[in-house]
């Protein structure tokens, strides 16, 4: 193999693949990236057998085609540390010389025989969506999914496509985010799957042209994505996603419009005084203002006011401030509509036409009042 | 001093201690009698956990009035005649001891009619005092009841537990019997409330589903192994559908529930390498064996048996399970494959990934931890073998013979410092602690060093914090968007009933949902992640361990311990420096921190003096 390639682009590709490769020492074969030189481009790919990505970097000149496995850790470190703008790669008998400026590295490679390469995007009905729009949908939902201890089916975002609509839902049982957008669906395909966190992160990061589209297909067990510069394929989570429609309140008794930035700032301030084990903050909506209060036996207390134009009865709820911070940070709109039914039921936070976040309050303990 | 022969009454009271321990023993004996009488339908009625009343009604063969007169007499049985018969017992009872034992410690009454007779008879036995047999009207079959258990043995009466607890023992007994006889219908009522109503069924599956829910019934793998003198059949559950305790291992020998070490061991062996640490498989085993090959007369409650050939049993059971696991692709070879298909998950029942996956990921995390540790804390030589061609001391590397000799330029390679991406760089003057193996925190102290078990310390802090907080108010509850339904065994269900208030104080909001399911509407906010049914069952299992001690306070304390354990960071969990700092600061504020609630130490300290001694420095 022999080629010359821009260091910067290859470096970026390797950074993305870095989230996929297995840490050295666990599955040695898959701590490598596959580096292939074809006539038009260099293709680097990596997989952990759950998710894999294939990125294409246009090259100045491919001297000789070929394919090898290169250890990701050293390869990416070299790309990071060297300063030359172009690097020249020459590989022969599994030894690769990397030259750039005054530096010269020699890396021992491995053959690709046993490596299970990432299957490409393939054929079949697919939809197209703006890359940035998809990244935004992921940002608005992925934070709400369950962690590694949580129920299985909730460890990913439910992605559904039907007609011109794409919808993503993430929930951990206490809060839920749903966002909808439009897609280009030429074959009018209907598809659905639960996409794990790692794959979502990669989808959001998959490089492509600015303003370009991303093609998406959900197959029986896998999801595939493709842009002009890369392809991705990952396993779906098999499981039954809860019936989420019914947990989204139709409309609350109390509705208040709040400026997101100020809301976030108030919650953050109140959160400074919460206890470690039971972080709780009281949010009280009163005529003309919203009050944020927190108290901790060891530290002290906090109360912060925020003006708002609300004229109705008073209502007060307890929340884990972390959950409010998570959603407020994700919202790009300036205003959020806060809808409350009562202190024991879910509140809905709506931003724009397409986003709703549902959050369950904390109660002071079922054992207290009854 | 004169030697006296104990009256039969006294002898029976002593013997009763062995056979009749609590209401559940009465239920067991009476139901076994019904089954021996060929009953197709058995109804059990209880009051106050069986302490006030146990009544068993069957449609079996019944007794004549002559039989009735003998039923309460010691060693009166219709099931054996000669001692040799003891070696080929095919009935559940054979000693003629149960009824006299029950009659000695309760107000017992039996009414019975044989199908051919127009009239039935009845007899009473209160505290060993026999009545005469009277004529009475009753449908064919037998009704046996025991009122006021231990009314004449106050010491034993006092030891009875709360009625939900006694009921949970009974339901355990009924579960076992009902599993052994799917063809018999069972009805269990407590204080008028129906607890089980199990129609007769050709197959055992329905019954398993009725008791243990769909999580179990839908994942069962059948096992069979037929042989000349022994048949082994039943169902096993794949690794992943497992339990924190081994109570979900049922073994029946000739229709009798038994506990046997060689069977337990065979089960454990069959699953060896497939189970996550501290998890136990779920198994239903039915062994049919020639009666002469098993001695049932070894234990007062007949819960243990002695096999003539233990090894054969062990081998058969182990093989049958192992084969089934292999055929269903749960053997190591399949598990170890790296394709990593996620297992199926049903509606509200979480099935965890197969254990091979568990182990693998655990191993992986340990390896990662070690690696991270060595990369950030030890001299460079101990890192992974370098993949660069280093300037070798003598000439070229042997493995790369086609490459040109290494020139001076290569030396640069060795100077590239590769920073492991995950390493938490601690500033030089920052706090003097770090984590090793993702499990321990090493902390510099003014006069030495502390090595802290992160889980034990956090658990200890939480335990004391929860207790302190509970003195003022209940814990906070995080409500759930979709209430979670948890199917429980009847025994678990009853245990929850008895502990409802304690659960609520800890922040759970629970409601009954059908006969043996509960709905969780809120859970303690302290638990950062709510893992649903599985976690709830684990909590229950830990609490069940405290059942030996009787006071509610003790059980509540056990629950707090279990919650602290669930809420604490786990061993193997990587902590960020701020997280470690927060933990250590909390420790500094706390009163207790040296031992976790289970009594294990949280901290191991090494003084400078000890270090100096070790290094033979004279300090
Ligand atoms: N429900 C019943 N229907 C018909 N006969 C019964 C019933 N219960 C008891 N008997 C008769 O009463 C006898 C005594 O019962 P008991 O339970 O005391 O002894 P057993 O069952 O023979 O032995 P074990 O002490 O091992 O239970 C039995 O052998 C049986 O003949
Ligand atoms: Mg009997």
């Amino acid at each position: 193999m022999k080629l010359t390639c821009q260091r910067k682009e290859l470096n970026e590709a390797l950074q993305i693949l870095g989230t996929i490769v297995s840490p050295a020492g666990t599955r040695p074969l898959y701590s490598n990236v596959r580096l292939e030189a074809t006539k038009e481009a260099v293709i680097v790919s990596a997989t952990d057998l759950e998710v894999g990505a294939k990125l294409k970097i246009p090259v100045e000149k491919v001297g000789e085609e070929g394919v090898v496995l290169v250890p990701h850790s050293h390869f990416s470190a070299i790309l990071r540390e060297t300063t030359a703008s172009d690097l020249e790669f020459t590989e022969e008998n599994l030894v690769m010389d990397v030259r750039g400026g005054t530096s010269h590295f020699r890396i021992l490679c491995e053959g690709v025989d046993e490596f299970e390469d990432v299957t490409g995007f393939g054929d079949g009905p697919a939809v197209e969506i703006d890359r940035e729009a998809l990244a935004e949908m992921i940002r608005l939902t992925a934070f709400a999914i369950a962690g590694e201890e949580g129920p299985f089916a909730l460890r990913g975002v439910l992605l559904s496509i039907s007609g011109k609509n794409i919808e993503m839902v993430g929930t951990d049982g206490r809060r839920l985010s749903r966002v909808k957008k439009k897609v280009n669906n030429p074959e009018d395909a209907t598809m659905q799957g639960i996409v794990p966190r790692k794959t979502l992160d990669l989808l959001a990061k998959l490089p492509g042209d600015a303003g370009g589209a991303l093609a998406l297909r959900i197959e029986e067990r896998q999801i595939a994505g493709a842009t002009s510069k890369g392809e991705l394929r990952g396993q779906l989570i098999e499981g039954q996603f809860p019936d989420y429609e019914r947990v989204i309140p139709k409309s609350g008794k109390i509705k208040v419009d709040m400026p997101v930035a100020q809301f976030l700032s108030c919650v953050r301030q109140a959160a400074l005084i919460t206890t470690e084990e039971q972080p709780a903050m009281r949010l009280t909506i009163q005529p003309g203002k919203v009050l944020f209060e927190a108290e901790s036996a060891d530290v002290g207390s906090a109360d912060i006011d925020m003006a708002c134009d609300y004229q109705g009865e008073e209502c007060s709820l307890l929340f884990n401030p972390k959950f409010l911070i998570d959603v407020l940070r994700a919202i790009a709109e300036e205003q959020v509509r806060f809808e409350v039914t009562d202190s024991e039921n879910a509140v809905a936070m709506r931003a724009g036409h397409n986003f709703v976040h549902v959050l369950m309050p904390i109660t002071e303990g079922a054992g207290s009042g009854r | 001093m004169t030697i006296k022969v104990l009256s039969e009454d006294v002898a029976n009271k002593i013997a009763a201690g062995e056979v009749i321990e609590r209401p559940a023993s009465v239920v067991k004996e009476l139901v076994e009698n019904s089954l021996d009488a060929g009953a197709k339908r058995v109804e059990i009625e209880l009051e106050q956990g069986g302490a006030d009343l146990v009544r068993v009604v069957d449609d079996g063969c019944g007794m004549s009035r002559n039989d009735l007169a003998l039923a309460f007499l010691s060693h009166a049985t219709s099931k054996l005649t000669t001692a040799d018969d003891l070696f080929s017992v095919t009935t559940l009872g054979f000693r003629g001891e149960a009824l006299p034992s029950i009659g000695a410690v309760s107000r017992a009454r039996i009414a019975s009619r044989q199908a051919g007779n127009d009239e039935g008879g009845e007899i009473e036995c209160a505290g060993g005092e026999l009545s005469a047999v009277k004529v009475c009207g009753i449908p064919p079959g037998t009704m046996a009841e025991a009122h006021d258990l231990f009314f004449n043995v106050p010491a034993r009466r006092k030891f009875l537990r709360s009625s939900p607890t006694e009921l949970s023992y009974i339901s355990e007994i009924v579960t076992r019997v009902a599993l052994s006889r799917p063809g018999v219908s069972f009805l269990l009522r407590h204080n008028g409330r129906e607890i089980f109503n199990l129609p007769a069924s050709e197959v055992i599956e329905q019954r398993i589903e009725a008791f243990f829910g769909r999580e179990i019934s839908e994942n069962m793998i059948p096992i069979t192994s037929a042989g000349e003198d022994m048949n082994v059949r039943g169902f096993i559950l794949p690794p992943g559908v497992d339990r924190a305790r081994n109570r979900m291992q049922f073994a029946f020998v000739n229709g009798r529930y038994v506990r046997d070490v060689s069977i337990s061991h065979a089960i454990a062996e069959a699953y060896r390498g497939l189970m996550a640490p501290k998890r136990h498989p779920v198994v239903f085993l039915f062994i049919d064996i020639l009666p002469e090959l098993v001695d049932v007369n070894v234990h007062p409650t007949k819960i243990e048996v002695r096999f003539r050939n233990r090894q054969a049993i062990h081998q058969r059971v182990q093989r049958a399970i192992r084969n089934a696991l292999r055929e269903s692709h749960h053997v190591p070879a399949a598990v170890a494959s790296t394709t990593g298909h996620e297992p199926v998950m049903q509606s509200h029942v979480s099935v965890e990934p197969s254990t091979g996956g568990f182990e693998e990921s655990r191993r992986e995390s340990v390896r990662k931890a070690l690696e991270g540790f060595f990369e950030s804390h030890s001299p460079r030589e101990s890192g992974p073998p370098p993949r660069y061609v280093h300037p070798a001391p003598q000439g070229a590397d042997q493995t790369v013979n086609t490459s040109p000799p290494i020139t001076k330029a290569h030396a640069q390679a060795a100077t590239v410092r590769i920073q492991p991406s995950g390493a938490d760089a601690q500033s030089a003057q920052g706090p003097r602690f770090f984590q090793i193996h993702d499990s321990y925190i090493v902390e510099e102290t003014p006069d030495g060093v502390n090595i802290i078990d992160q889980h034990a310390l956090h658990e200890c802090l939480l335990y004391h914090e929860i207790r302190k907080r509970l003195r003022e108010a209940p814990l906070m509850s995080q409500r759930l968007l979709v209430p979670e339904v948890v199917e429980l065994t009847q025994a678990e269900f009853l245990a929850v009933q008895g502990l409802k208030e304690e659960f609520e104080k800890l922040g759970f909001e629970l409601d009954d949902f059908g006969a043996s399911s509960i709905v969780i509407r809120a859970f303690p906010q302290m638990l950062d992640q709510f893992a649903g049914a599985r976690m709830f069952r684990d909590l229950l299992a830990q609490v069940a361990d405290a059942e030996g001690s009787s006071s509610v306070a003790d059980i509540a304390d056990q629950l707090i311990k279990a919650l602290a354990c669930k809420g604490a960071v786990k061993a193997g969990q990587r902590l960020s420096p701020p997280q470690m700092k927060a933990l250590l600061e909390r420790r500094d504020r706390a009163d207790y921190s040296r031992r976790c609630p289970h009594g294990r130490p949280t901290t191991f300290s090494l003084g400078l003096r000890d270090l100096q001694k070790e290094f033979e420095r004279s300090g």
Side-chain angles (χ1 to χ4, degrees):
Chain A
M1 173 191 321
K2 195 173 168 70
L3 64 109
T4 306
C5 175
Q6 261 195 17
R7 185 183 64 87
K8 187 166 153 286
E9 274 195 74
L10 193 56
N11 183 28
E12 282 164 8
L14 264 280
Q15 298 305 319
I16 293 171
L17 297 183
T19 61
I20 305 178
V21 289
S22 308
T26 52
R27 259 189 312 221
L29 194 59
Y30 295 97
S31 62
N32 292 310
V33 290
R34 185 178 182 278
L35 177 74
E36 179 174 7
T38 66
K39 276 271 175 292
E40 317 83 56
V42 173
I43 296 165
V44 279
S45 55
T47 175
D48 63 2
L49 302 171
E50 299 262 315
V51 58
K54 224 181 189 147
L55 306 175
K56 197 157 72 178
I57 298 128
V59 282
E60 316 260 294
K61 179 170 100 207
V62 169
E64 192 192 333
E65 289 170 288
V67 54
V68 283
L69 295 183
V70 195
H72 178 271
S73 57
H74 293 152
F75 194 26
S76 66
I78 290 172
L79 290 170
R80 207 170 45 230
E81 296 289 334
T82 50
T83 49
S85 67
D86 287 317
L87 294 177
E88 185 196 297
F89 299 86
T90 327
E91 177 267 340
E92 205 177 326
N93 296 323
L94 300 180
V95 177
M96 183 156 74
D97 286 275
V98 183
R99 282 172 223 272
T102 55
S103 311
H104 175 201
F105 298 88
R106 166 160 292 190
I107 306 179
L108 300 186
C109 301
E110 282 179 61
V112 294
D113 294 351
E114 274 162 34
F115 188 84
E116 209 174 297
D117 192 21
V118 185
T119 319
F121 188 70
D123 304 319
V127 298
E128 274 194 353
I129 180 170
D130 178 66
R131 272 177 56 231
E132 260 123 59
L134 183 75
E136 190 194 351
M137 291 180 82
I138 293 172
R139 195 189 67 230
L140 284 167
T141 50
F143 71 85
I145 69 175
E148 276 170 28
E149 303 250 301
F152 228 38
L154 304 187
R155 297 185 204 168
V157 162
L158 180 74
L159 197 164
S160 325
I161 291 160
S162 142
K164 293 263 163 278
N165 301 308
I166 177 167
E167 178 186 89
M168 287 174 74
V169 181
T171 176
D172 67 358
R174 304 168 282 193
R175 51 180 170 167
L176 176 146
S177 263
R178 185 190 68 188
V179 58
K180 294 176 172 177
K181 288 224 184 302
K182 295 286 174 210
V183 281
N184 182 9
N185 189 351
E187 289 169 70
D188 199 23
T190 301
M191 32 201 182
Q192 191 175 59
I194 305 173
V195 187
R197 188 187 297 274
K198 199 167 171 184
T199 307
L200 291 169
D201 289 348
L202 281 165
L203 266 177
K205 272 195 249 162
L206 204 61
D209 302 318
L214 187 142
L216 206 57
R217 181 182 329 106
I218 298 173
E219 299 166 1
E220 202 183 319
R221 285 165 175 272
Q222 298 189 332
I223 179 169
T227 64
S228 56
K229 293 188 177 170
E231 289 171 32
L232 169 152
R233 182 170 277 278
Q235 299 280 350
L236 296 171
I237 293 177
E238 284 180 38
Q240 184 80 44
F241 205 79
D243 176 13
Y244 58 89
E245 288 288 355
R246 67 191 166 97
V247 312
I248 301 176
K250 292 285 162 294
S251 118
K253 206 171 69 192
I254 293 172
K255 298 191 180 84
V256 193
D257 286 318
M258 304 205 220
V260 172
Q262 208 188 337
F263 190 176
L264 177 58
S265 159
C266 291
V267 176
R268 279 201 154 129
Q269 293 177 50
L272 296 174
I273 309 295
T274 55
T275 55
E276 194 115 12
E277 290 316 321
Q278 300 196 97
M281 182 205 74
R282 181 169 293 284
L283 184 153
T284 308
I285 302 172
Q286 293 172 343
K289 70 173 179 187
V290 183
L291 189 61
F292 301 84
E293 292 167 293
E295 201 180 0
S296 154
D298 311 329
V299 189
S301 67
D303 51 288
I304 298 113
D305 278 11
M306 183 175 92
C308 72
D309 57 2
Y310 169 72
Q311 299 303 330
E313 63 186 271
E314 179 172 317
C315 157
S316 180
L317 301 101
L318 280 172
F319 289 108
N320 183 341
K322 178 186 176 297
F323 293 168
L324 282 172
I325 292 172
D326 282 347
V327 55
L328 291 169
R329 273 176 33 185
I331 295 175
E333 269 80 6
E334 281 177 8
Q335 292 280 318
V336 60
R337 167 158 295 190
F338 199 77
E339 300 182 1
V340 184
T341 310
D342 59 35
S343 62
E344 292 201 345
N345 285 295
V347 297
M349 295 165 76
R350 297 179 202 271
H353 292 301
N354 307 319
F355 175 68
V356 59
H357 184 78
V358 184
L359 176 58
M360 278 313 256
I362 298 169
T363 55
E364 263 174 304
S368 59
R370 294 196 276 165
Chain B
M1 202 162 71
T2 47
I3 294 171
K4 280 192 277 178
V5 177
L6 290 175
S7 72
E8 194 186 5
D9 170 54
V10 175
N12 273 336
K13 266 195 210 173
I14 294 170
E18 291 187 66
V19 184
I20 305 301
E21 240 187 310
R22 51 180 2 116
S25 343
V26 177
V27 172
K28 173 173 184 282
E29 294 301 335
L30 295 183
V31 171
E32 286 188 352
N33 282 349
S34 297
L35 295 177
D36 281 346
K40 285 284 150 231
R41 174 166 184 79
V42 177
E43 290 180 14
I44 307 155
E45 194 125 2
L46 307 168
E47 272 165 32
Q48 302 313 322
D52 288 3
L53 172 70
V54 173
R55 177 188 295 133
V56 175
V57 181
D58 68 50
D59 61 354
C61 65
M63 282 174 270
S64 68
R65 287 208 285 277
N66 286 343
D67 285 347
L68 272 176
L70 297 173
F72 278 113
L73 296 186
S74 230
H75 306 300
T77 175
S78 59
K79 300 168 192 175
L80 291 184
T81 33
T82 69
D84 280 352
D85 292 347
L86 258 182
F87 298 108
S88 53
V89 175
T90 54
T91 49
L92 294 168
F94 51 83
R95 285 189 298 221
E97 254 172 13
L99 291 180
S101 303
I102 293 169
V105 295
S106 72
R107 300 184 220 274
R109 188 172 84 100
I110 298 182
S112 189
R113 172 152 82 89
Q114 291 180 319
N117 288 354
D118 292 344
E119 286 175 332
E122 73 176 310
I123 182 169
E124 285 175 26
C125 181
E129 293 284 325
L130 260 186
S131 77
V133 179
K134 284 180 284 187
V135 174
C136 95
I138 172 180
T142 304
M143 185 222 58
E145 52 186 32
H147 292 267
D148 306 327
L149 184 63
F150 297 134
F151 76 99
N152 57 345
V153 201
R156 293 204 79 105
R157 177 101 188 163
K158 225 171 59 201
F159 270 101
L160 293 184
R161 306 273 311 275
S162 69
S163 105
T165 306
E166 291 298 344
L167 181 56
S168 72
Y169 288 122
I170 293 172
S171 113
E172 181 96 39
I173 292 288
V174 177
T175 303
R176 291 171 189 168
V177 194
L179 282 177
S180 75
R181 304 289 159 104
V184 177
S185 74
F186 287 89
L187 179 72
L188 176 65
R189 248 191 254 123
H190 182 243
N191 296 343
R193 192 169 81 97
E194 196 173 279
I195 294 190
F196 295 136
N197 187 355
L198 305 163
S201 154
E202 305 254 294
V203 289
I204 184 74
E205 284 93 322
Q206 269 173 19
R207 210 148 262 195
I208 292 179
E209 174 160 338
F211 282 123
F212 308 109
R214 292 201 318 251
E215 181 206 5
I216 300 291
S217 66
E218 287 178 0
N219 289 299
M220 295 195 298
I221 304 165
I223 61 168
T224 62
S225 157
E228 227 166 77
D229 42 14
M230 187 196 321
N231 281 332
V232 177
R233 67 205 158 79
F235 294 95
I236 60 168
L237 275 296
V241 187
D242 48 27
R243 291 290 179 268
R245 297 281 176 279
N246 64 1
R247 286 189 205 160
M248 285 282 281
Q249 296 179 0
F250 293 87
F252 300 88
V253 173
N254 294 344
R256 185 193 304 278
Y257 174 85
V258 299
R259 270 203 297 256
D260 182 83
V261 281
S262 46
I263 294 178
S264 305
H265 188 259
I267 295 172
E269 281 293 294
Y271 278 89
R272 211 192 6 213
L274 302 177
M275 298 305 295
K278 305 215 179 109
R279 304 295 298 180
H280 298 271
V282 178
V283 171
F284 303 91
L285 268 185
F286 300 88
I287 299 171
D288 291 314
I289 182 169
L290 291 179
E292 49 268 36
L293 296 182
V294 52
D295 182 0
V296 290
N297 189 22
V298 293
H299 190 273
T301 67
K302 304 165 187 149
I303 192 145
E304 283 169 23
V305 294
R306 192 175 295 132
F307 294 107
R308 295 283 126 87
N309 188 346
R310 273 168 62 174
Q311 229 150 21
I313 293 273
H314 188 280
Q315 211 176 53
R316 288 287 287 280
V317 169
Q318 188 187 336
R319 281 209 191 132
I321 296 177
R322 199 74 188 173
N323 286 343
L325 285 170
R326 184 170 306 121
E327 275 156 32
S328 58
H329 307 293
H330 288 283
V331 283
V335 171
S337 94
T338 45
T339 43
H341 286 297
E342 304 271 88
V344 191
M345 137 124 197
Q346 279 108 27
S347 52
H348 52 263
V349 179
S350 65
V351 176
E352 288 298 328
S354 75
T355 345
F358 258 176
E359 276 201 337
E360 182 157 306
S361 70
R362 164 118 187 102
R363 243 182 280 132
E364 205 165 290
S365 81
V366 170
R367 227 180 278 140
K368 219 192 292 171
L370 277 172
E371 215 173 89
F373 171 64
F374 286 121
E375 273 175 318
S376 46
H377 303 293
S378 21
R380 218 170 299 166
E381 295 86 270
S382 53
R387 304 282 289 266
Y388 288 107
V389 180
H390 276 289
Q394 278 118 29
D397 191 323
Q398 287 303 302
T399 59
V400 198
N401 23 25
T402 54
S403 62
I406 288 152
T407 63
K408 209 175 148 227
H410 295 99
Q412 242 188 343
T415 65
V416 177
R417 180 82 180 93
I418 294 153
Q419 191 63 36
S421 46
D424 319 307
Q426 257 180 51
S427 59
Q429 74 274 53
R432 305 290 210 115
F433 55 79
F434 57 88
Q435 190 186 27
I436 57 171
H437 295 228
D438 284 357
S439 298
Y440 301 96
I441 300 171
V442 179
E443 174 195 35
E444 186 187 276
T445 60
D447 50 5
V449 59
N450 280 338
I451 301 172
I452 297 162
D453 180 329
Q454 64 188 39
H455 173 73
L457 176 62
H458 195 196
E459 186 181 13
C460 166
L461 294 172
L462 277 179
Y463 170 75
H464 290 291
E465 280 172 14
I466 296 173
R467 284 181 49 121
K468 190 167 132 214
R469 195 151 301 164
L470 280 177
R471 266 178 253 138
E472 288 139 30
L475 298 189
M476 302 260 195
S477 307
Q478 170 67 57
R479 309 204 87 220
L480 287 167
L481 283 166
V482 184
E484 169 123 355
V485 178
V486 188
E487 288 181 28
L488 297 171
T489 65
Q490 194 62 30
E492 285 170 332
F493 181 71
L494 294 167
V496 175
Q497 302 293 314
L499 290 169
K500 213 155 194 179
E501 222 173 282
E502 276 63 39
F503 273 109
E504 287 184 347
K505 280 200 194 118
L506 291 178
F508 281 100
E509 203 182 306
L510 307 174
D511 272 321
D512 293 359
F513 186 79
S516 65
S517 299
I518 53 156
V519 182
I520 306 178
R521 299 191 185 282
F523 67 96
Q525 193 210 350
M526 246 191 50
L527 297 176
D528 188 41
Q529 286 276 336
F530 180 65
R534 180 189 164 96
M535 179 195 275
F536 192 73
R537 278 206 202 90
D538 286 358
L539 265 184
L540 273 181
Q542 289 196 31
V543 173
D545 282 355
E547 294 242 16
S549 61
S550 46
S551 82
V552 174
D554 285 351
I555 297 175
D557 194 54
Q558 192 64 25
L559 199 55
I560 297 173
K561 283 181 192 164
L563 193 67
C565 180
K566 287 284 173 213
V569 296
K570 307 279 172 297
Q573 190 172 332
R574 182 163 291 193
L575 299 180
S576 66
Q579 284 173 312
M580 283 188 264
K581 187 157 171 267
L583 189 63
L584 296 177
E585 283 174 357
R586 272 171 68 195
R587 173 203 57 186
D588 296 339
R589 286 198 302 269
D591 306 335
Y592 315 88
S593 61
R594 297 302 288 194
R595 283 188 182 274
C596 83
H598 305 293
R600 282 184 282 113
T602 61
T603 307
F604 166 69
S605 306
L606 209 56
L608 270 181
R609 251 166 216 284
D610 303 322
L611 287 177
Q612 279 163 352
K613 214 153 77 200
E614 283 300 315
F615 292 113
E616 300 175 9
R617 278 168 168 253
S618 47

